[in-house]
Amino acid sequence: MDDTTKVALAAAVASGYVLGRTKKGRLAFGLATYLAGRRTGLNPQALLSGGLGKLGDVPGLQQLNEQVRGELLSAGRKALTSAADRRLGDLAESLRERTQRIG
């Protein structure tokens, strides 16, 4: 990106922020960023692939990714186990109540 593109994009974002303080800010911000992107010839897919490529070059990102992934998997397992235990406990309680009603 050259300097004029960067300036145009910064101006679009700044004006979108200022308009975002008003009632119709989301629409104005979306329109401003769309028009700025069209004017400067930005391609969302190219921006995304370039950004992901640059993220891969960060040295500590792989270690951070592994740490976060491990923590998320652990939290997910705990949540799944808790939900399964609760549902099985409810089923056991329901069966116990039905057995008492029959007997």
Side-chain angles (χ1 to χ4, degrees):
M1 258 193 279
D2 60 351
D3 290 337
T4 57
T5 304
K6 290 179 183 179
V7 169
L9 186 59
V13 170
S15 63
Y17 174 76
V18 170
L19 289 173
R21 305 294 293 181
T22 65
K23 196 172 193 178
K24 297 182 182 180
R26 277 193 191 163
L27 177 63
F29 184 72
L31 184 62
T33 53
Y34 173 75
L35 290 175
R38 296 278 295 177
R39 182 174 176 223
T40 58
L42 295 176
N43 182 1
Q45 291 176 339
L47 287 174
L48 181 63
S49 63
L52 290 176
K54 288 185 180 186
L55 278 178
D57 296 339
V58 176
L61 187 65
Q62 184 65 28
Q63 182 183 9
L64 180 64
N65 186 16
E66 290 174 4
Q67 179 183 357
V68 169
R69 184 175 294 178
E71 291 175 5
L72 284 175
L73 284 174
S74 175
R77 284 186 188 125
K78 287 179 183 177
L80 184 61
T81 303
S82 174
D85 286 345
R86 185 173 49 246
R87 296 292 289 178
L88 288 174
D90 292 345
L91 176 64
E93 182 65 26
S94 174
L95 289 174
R96 186 185 63 77
E97 288 174 1
R98 286 184 183 181
T99 304
Q100 285 180 350
R101 274 188 265 148
I102 292 173

